[in-house]
Amino acid sequence: MPYFIKKLTEKGILARDYYKREMTMIPDRGGIAILLVAMVCFSLNTLFFKFSTTNYVALIVIAMFGLFGILDDMIDIGRVTKLLLMYYCSYPLIQYATHTAFTLPSVGNIELGILYLQFIVPTYVLVASNLVNMHSGFNGLASGLSVIVLISLIVKSFLIGDIENIIAVVSITGAALGYFMFDKYPSKIFWGNVGSLTIGAAIGIIIVIQGFIISGFIMFIPHTINFLMYAYWRAMKFPVAKFGKEREDRTLEVPNPLTLKWVLPYYYRVTEKQATWAMYAVTIFFCALGVMLPGRM
């Protein structure tokens, strides 16, 4: 990461940290490092272990989402075009999502079959990647929340005794955890769209491969609430505001409470670090609920 920070700074690939009083420019697109390191580590391990085919397919899909992130950071290919192409990027997973049923309390197993494969698999991966992209803004917020969700999903996989098909996602999780150490407050690097789409795709992939549809939804409740708040904001045509700012006492001043990360600083005088940790606590709570659900729920 220090090498990437140095190179990105030298190339002038920088983004402003708006939640600092002073003009602060931070190296951007550091998410490329997550993808590269995860792929190298996974490749090196193939010298010693034979992984299931699903892992390679998962890594290909994650890499394709990362590619779209790179393009999104470089050029504007259009929201509709990007979403449409990213939707079909998830199709290689269809043949490898072996769990096509989910369990509801008091109802039992519900077999979805082709509906699960053709619609839920690509939609879940696409939605997860975009929810991660949206629930961001503070130093270490998106990466920290993503690591929490990924670790929770891996723990749940261990509990049900099924980790054979998620080794590629584990490698992404390890790389993301290493990246987080440099992204946490105060950030030394931002991950850009390439980071959020890469990690978001990894989250969606482990959910659909393992059949954690209900658990994954519960873990993503804070991200979903954040999206619904944003949708309400746009539907009501309130004034556009992308960033807040830092007051003299280092607390945050935000324009409204219409995104989840702004709710606490809108009503209370909290610092960026405190607001971020509050979001961690909320996500940890819902992730704990998701892990405690029995089986593949």
Side-chain angles (χ1 to χ4, degrees), residues 108-126:
N109 291 333
I110 299 178
E111 177 60 50
L112 298 178
I114 192 66
L115 177 65
Y116 184 92
L117 296 175
Q118 292 289 337
F119 296 102
I120 293 182
V121 168
T123 300
Y124 222 115
V125 178
L126 176 64

Side-chain angles (χ1 to χ4, degrees), residues 34-55:
I34 298 175
L35 184 57
L36 291 178
V37 169
M39 294 180 73
V40 168
C41 290
F42 183 82
S43 297
L44 289 174
N45 274 279
T46 59
L47 296 173
F48 311 101
F49 304 99
K50 184 177 180 180
F51 298 119
S52 67
T53 306
T54 305
N55 286 288

Side-chain angles (χ1 to χ4, degrees), residues 241-256:
K242 195 170 183 180
F243 299 101
K245 60 183 180 180
E246 190 178 54
R247 300 186 182 97
E248 290 294 325
D249 62 356
R250 298 290 181 182
T251 60
L252 295 175
E253 181 180 343
V254 297
N256 58 57

Side-chain angles (χ1 to χ4, degrees), residues 10 19 37 64 68 123-124 166 217-218 240 250 258:
E10 290 176 353
Y19 293 98
V37 169
M64 286 194 291
F68 274 101
T123 300
Y124 222 115
I166 65 166
F217 174 78
I218 291 174
V240 176
R250 298 290 181 182
L258 297 178

Side-chain angles (χ1 to χ4, degrees), residues 29-268:
R29 306 179 195 174
I32 297 174
I34 298 175
L35 184 57
L36 291 178
V37 169
M39 294 180 73
V40 168
C41 290
F42 183 82
S43 297
L44 289 174
N45 274 279
T46 59
L47 296 173
F48 311 101
F49 304 99
K50 184 177 180 180
F51 298 119
S52 67
T53 306
T54 305
N55 286 288
Y56 297 96
V57 175
L59 204 56
I60 289 172
V61 174
I62 291 170
M64 286 194 291
F65 272 79
L67 175 61
F68 274 101
I70 294 172
L71 290 174
D72 206 23
D73 284 326
M74 295 174 60
I75 59 175
D76 184 7
I77 61 176
R79 181 177 295 274
V80 175
T81 302
K82 183 178 70 173
L83 292 178
L84 183 63
L85 293 175
M86 287 171 62
Y87 179 86
Y88 290 110
C89 281
S90 303
Y91 266 42
L93 291 169
I94 288 177
Q95 297 184 49
Y96 299 91
T98 56
H99 307 287
T100 59
F102 67 95
T103 306
L104 288 177
S106 304
V107 176
N109 291 333
I110 299 178
E111 177 60 50
L112 298 178
I114 192 66
L115 177 65
Y116 184 92
L117 296 175
Q118 292 289 337
F119 296 102
I120 293 182
V121 168
T123 300
Y124 222 115
V125 178
L126 176 64
V127 169
S129 62
N130 282 276
L131 288 179
V132 169
N133 193 29
M134 292 182 65
H135 197 16
S136 59
F138 296 155
N139 288 179
L141 177 61
S143 60
L145 296 178
S146 299
V147 168
I148 291 169
V149 174
L150 281 168
I151 290 176
S152 299
L153 291 166
I154 292 170
V155 168
K156 189 170 180 67
S157 298
F158 269 103
L159 292 176
I160 65 172
D162 185 1
I163 61 170
E164 180 183 359
N165 295 321
I166 65 166
I167 304 302
V169 176
V170 173
S171 70
I172 291 286
T173 305
L177 183 58
Y179 168 85
F180 171 73
M181 304 310 295
F182 294 86
D183 185 41
K184 66 180 182 178
Y185 184 92
S187 290
K188 300 179 180 65
I189 190 168
F190 293 151
W191 69 6
N193 290 318
V194 56
S196 59
L197 293 183
T198 295
I199 300 303
I203 293 174
I205 285 169
I206 187 174
I207 289 173
V208 298
I209 286 178
Q210 298 294 77
F212 295 153
I213 301 302
I214 304 300
S215 299
F217 174 78
I218 291 174
M219 294 179 188
F220 256 144
I221 284 178
H223 291 75
T224 305
I225 292 174
N226 181 71
F227 168 76
L228 293 175
M229 294 172 72
Y230 173 77
Y232 172 77
W233 181 357
R234 295 300 299 269
M236 299 302 294
K237 298 182 179 180
F238 292 129
V240 176
K242 195 170 183 180
F243 299 101
K245 60 183 180 180
E246 190 178 54
R247 300 186 182 97
E248 290 294 325
D249 62 356
R250 298 290 181 182
T251 60
L252 295 175
E253 181 180 343
V254 297
N256 58 57
L258 297 178
T259 62
L260 191 59
K261 67 178 181 290
W262 282 353
V263 172
L264 187 63
Y266 185 81
Y267 294 105
Y268 302 95

